[in-house]
Every structure is written in structure tokens, then in C-alpha cells.
Amino acid sequence: MKSEIAMRLKLFLAVVYGFFGLMPFLVNAQSEKFIDISYDRGPMIGNNKDWADELIDKIDYAGVDVRFGWRSNQNTYYNYINRFPSYGLGFTSALNYYSEIGRPMGIYAFGEFPFGKINVDRKWNFSYYSQVGIGFNMNPYDAETNPLNRFVSTAINAHIHFGIKAAYRLTNSLEVFSSIGTKHYSNGSIKKPNAGVNFVPIALGLRLNLDNQPFNPGSKPEFPPLEKRGFWNIAAYTGLKSYEIGEKAYFRGGVGVNYLWEISYKYRGGIGIDWFYGAGAHERFPDENISFTDVNSFAVVGSWEWKLTEKLYMPIAFGVYLSKADLNQEIAGFYERIGVRYRLTDHVFAGVQIKAHEAKADFFEFTLGYTIPGKVRKIVNP
């Protein structure tokens, strides 16, 4: 029960953190505001297990999405290099109820990023998007009353959705669009089983532009000189992980030290070392002699930072284990990481990421870190 409460609190705080990270865009008067309404339909995908195939045969997914968003036309160089992205808040719900999974719903923050060169006059527009939030109204696994649903074992989960989108502008006020993506519900292995609910929805929708004005941010803004320098990022990861069905969640965490280089106005990249630790091994395996390497692992990691604004950015990483801790269920020789971080000051940052093995969640990382900038090696004028 305590771990369930902690999980819900952490998921709630992660979404609140994401919302507040986007709030500067909401209060900015220089933005194009819109409402999206779409109908989704698509298959549920599984993991090639017999129980998963049996459950998938019962489910015919259809849903609706409603989003309120804004596209800043403030002509900053961050907006320009990201092709004036859109941000906002949304709500999604499945239309049908199934006794095994319930009627999944979600509230989320989203970002939508156009493809191609900036051309505000074209009718056709293509973009990619991401949604991160809380999924709820789900019927979790229960050994007696709901044994078939091994996809999720908690009623509240993370809602994650990635996809691509095509839109056609009919008038200054109205657009039609279609999208396809992957919608995922998971608790990040805080409680097992947790194969994750996955849909592949194809959406048809309408966008109503509330300002009834053409989007026109103006000419290319003036770029400041780019200071080519290195940065040391020192980050502490904390989270919870359950290892077996019916077992409580244990502390999972670690420390990462990365050196990143200012590649461009938009990206930083570099390399570093991660250390991970899993608690509870003595309790889980009381008859075994637990060594240091059974619960501690080390990895070399390639890191990438995509700068969305001066303070908001996405960390993306790929790590290769130098030594694995088998008792921590590190099931592959490598791992992936993706998330969102926010600079509280010039040196302090906080964020949330998901660490995964072969796209299967290891644990949610709630991160607090410190950046040490190096000396400027080179100044590149735009």
C-alpha cells in the first residue's frame, strides 16, 4: 500500500512538474491558441504471450482526444531553431469499457514539432509529437478477480504517446489532420506485472484556431554568438522497482557523471559513466551471499540533450553496461533513457526520465543534478 501511494504521488509530481515547465508558454500573450478534437482507432499490441493474445482478441480500441494548445510566435532563436513548436494540455479516453483493463483515460502535457523548413504560408504541414502525463481509470491485475490482465497492475499509470501527424489548413480558423503513433500505459515496474498497455491509434481530427489570424512570427531572429564549451553534468537518480508479482517495491537509483559539448544552438552531446544500485536483495534472497556486484552496476553512456527553450530540454541516452547486476533484473547488455529536464538555475536541474532495456521499463528516474560549465574554447558567430 505504501509503495502504491508513493508511486501515485511521484507520477502526480512528474506531471505537475511537466505542466509547470510549460507554463511560460501559456502565459505568453504572443501565441496562437487552438483546440484539437480527434477520434482514435487502432490495434492493441502485446508481447507474443498466450495470455496477451487472449486479452487482445477481446479488445477493440477506439478513443477520443481533446487538446488545448498554443504556438508561440515570439521570434526567439529557440523558437526558430525548433520551427515554432506547439505545446499544451490534453485529455484522452477510450470509448469502450472492458472488464480486464477498464476504460483507460489520461491527462497529459504535449509538444508538437514541425518537420521541414519554416514556411507559414503552406497548406500541408507535417510534424511529430509527444505526450506525457497520467493514465487512470484502469482495472489492474488481480490474481483472483482479474488474472488475465498482466499488462498493468496499478489503476494509475504513466501515459506516454509518440507519433507523427499530417495537417491541411482549410482556412485561417480550421485545419483537418490525421496522425499515427504508439500510446503506452505503464507504472515503470513499480509494481509487477507490468508488461504495459500499448495501442497503435490512427487519429482523424479537427483543429480550431481560436485567434482567427494567420501565423506570422516574422523574419529570422538575431542569433547570439554560440559559445563552444564543455559541461560536467552530475545527476542523482532515485526511483522504485518491484521485481516479482506480489512483491513490494524497493529503492532503485544511482549517480551519473557526464561530460557534454555544446554542438549547436539546439543540441549538446557527450559521454559519461552511470552507476546503479538496487536495494532489497538481502530481503528478496535471504539464503544467498549477496556481493557488491550483485546489486551494483556500472555503464558507459552516450548522452544527448535537445534544447527546447533556455531552461527546458530533453535528455536522450544510450548506455552499455561494463558490469551488470543480475539481481536487479538488468536483462540486456545496454539500456535507453529519455525524459524531460528543467533548469532551476544556471547550475541546478531537475527532471524525470524512464530507463529501459530493449524498450521494457526498468524504472522511472526522478533526477536532481548540478552542472559545472567549462571554459569557453571557441565563439562561433551566426
Side-chain angles (χ1 to χ4, degrees):
M1 179 62 71
K2 289 183 179 179
S3 62
E4 177 92 3
I5 295 172
M7 182 275 295
R8 295 185 182 190
L9 179 60
K10 286 193 172 185
L11 286 176
F12 173 77
L13 290 175
V15 174
V16 169
Y17 166 81
F19 286 177
F20 277 95
L22 297 176
M23 283 301 290
F25 295 96
L26 182 61
V27 300
N28 177 16
Q30 296 180 353
S31 61
E32 177 189 69
K33 300 175 181 65
F34 58 85
I35 293 176
D36 285 353
I37 301 174
S38 64
Y39 170 76
D40 303 345
R41 193 173 186 88
M44 182 178 179
I45 57 176
N47 53 10
N48 297 318
K49 303 290 186 181
D50 291 341
W51 61 264
D53 293 339
E54 182 181 350
L55 183 53
I56 289 171
D57 288 341
K58 296 184 176 184
I59 295 174
D60 183 21
Y61 175 76
V64 293
D65 254 89
V66 180
R67 295 179 289 275
F68 171 73
W70 51 93
R71 187 183 187 192
S72 173
N73 56 19
Q74 191 173 18
N75 205 7
T76 66
Y77 76 90
Y78 275 112
N79 277 340
Y80 186 86
I81 61 178
N82 287 300
R83 297 178 293 277
F84 295 93
S86 301
Y87 299 93
L89 310 175
F91 169 78
T92 184
S93 175
L95 294 177
N96 301 318
Y97 174 86
Y98 296 93
S99 59
E100 294 83 4
I101 65 169
R103 181 182 287 113
M105 298 180 179
I107 54 172
Y108 56 83
F110 72 86
E112 184 179 316
F113 305 89
F115 284 117
K117 295 181 179 180
I118 297 172
N119 182 353
V120 296
D121 296 322
R122 62 188 175 197
K123 297 285 188 179
W124 280 101
N125 288 279
F126 300 90
S127 58
Y128 56 99
Y129 62 87
S130 63
Q131 303 172 0
V132 179
I134 293 179
F136 56 96
N137 201 43
M138 304 181 75
N139 291 347
Y141 166 87
D142 186 278
E144 296 182 359
T145 62
N146 193 17
L148 189 57
N149 177 18
R150 301 183 194 177
F151 287 114
V152 290
S153 57
T154 50
I156 296 179
N157 297 274
H159 164 98
I160 302 170
H161 189 177
F162 296 101
I164 56 175
K165 176 182 175 183
Y168 184 78
R169 179 160 49 89
L170 300 172
T171 69
N172 288 335
S173 301
L174 189 64
E175 296 180 16
V176 294
F177 65 85
S178 180
S179 67
I180 183 171
T182 301
K183 183 177 291 188
H184 176 72
Y185 295 97
S186 167
N187 64 35
S189 292
I190 290 176
K191 188 176 181 180
K192 292 289 185 77
N194 185 58
V197 171
N198 294 285
F199 301 113
V200 184
I202 299 173
L204 294 174
L206 294 173
R207 169 171 292 187
L208 178 63
N209 293 313
L210 302 179
D211 299 311
N212 196 27
Q213 296 292 329
F215 184 79
N216 186 15
S219 58
K220 182 178 179 179
E222 182 177 348
F223 278 55
L226 178 64
E227 296 181 344
K228 291 279 192 173
R229 67 166 77 195
F231 296 82
W232 286 101
N233 273 355
I234 304 170
Y237 316 125
T238 64
L240 295 170
K241 181 178 177 66
S242 175
Y243 295 90
E244 302 295 340
I245 295 176
E247 187 179 89
K248 71 178 186 180
Y250 297 90
F251 172 82
R252 190 86 160 84
V255 173
V257 179
N258 284 260
Y259 185 82
L260 291 93
W261 182 253
E262 199 82 56
I263 297 173
S264 67
Y265 289 98
K266 192 172 180 179
Y267 301 118
R268 289 177 180 153
I271 194 168
I273 295 291
D274 275 343
W275 159 62
F276 299 105
Y277 167 73
H282 289 282
E283 186 176 346
R284 292 161 47 216
F285 303 98
D287 298 328
E288 293 192 20
N289 183 21
I290 308 299
S291 68
F292 178 87
T293 56
D294 288 331
V295 295
N296 291 272
S297 58
F298 297 88
V300 59
V301 58
S303 297
W304 191 262
E305 291 183 356
W306 173 13
K307 295 179 282 185
L308 302 176
T309 72
E310 187 175 359
K311 293 184 177 295
L312 186 69
Y313 62 99
M314 290 182 63
I316 302 168
F318 181 83
V320 177
Y321 287 107
L322 300 174
S323 64
K324 288 196 305 178
D326 292 331
L327 297 187
N328 293 343
Q329 292 185 352
E330 292 168 342
I331 59 176
F334 58 89
Y335 59 91
E336 314 90 47
R337 173 185 289 127
I338 188 170
V340 62
R341 289 178 182 173
Y342 188 81
R343 274 196 191 283
L344 304 173
T345 70
D346 289 341
H347 297 282
V348 179
F349 61 88
V352 59
Q353 304 84 227
I354 186 166
K355 175 177 177 272
H357 297 114
E358 299 176 338
K360 296 180 181 179
D362 184 17
F363 72 105
F364 283 120
E365 300 174 331
F366 296 86
T367 301
L368 183 65
Y370 192 84
T371 297
I372 304 172
K375 293 182 179 180
V376 177
R377 302 291 180 89
K378 184 179 179 182
I379 297 178
V380 179
N381 291 309

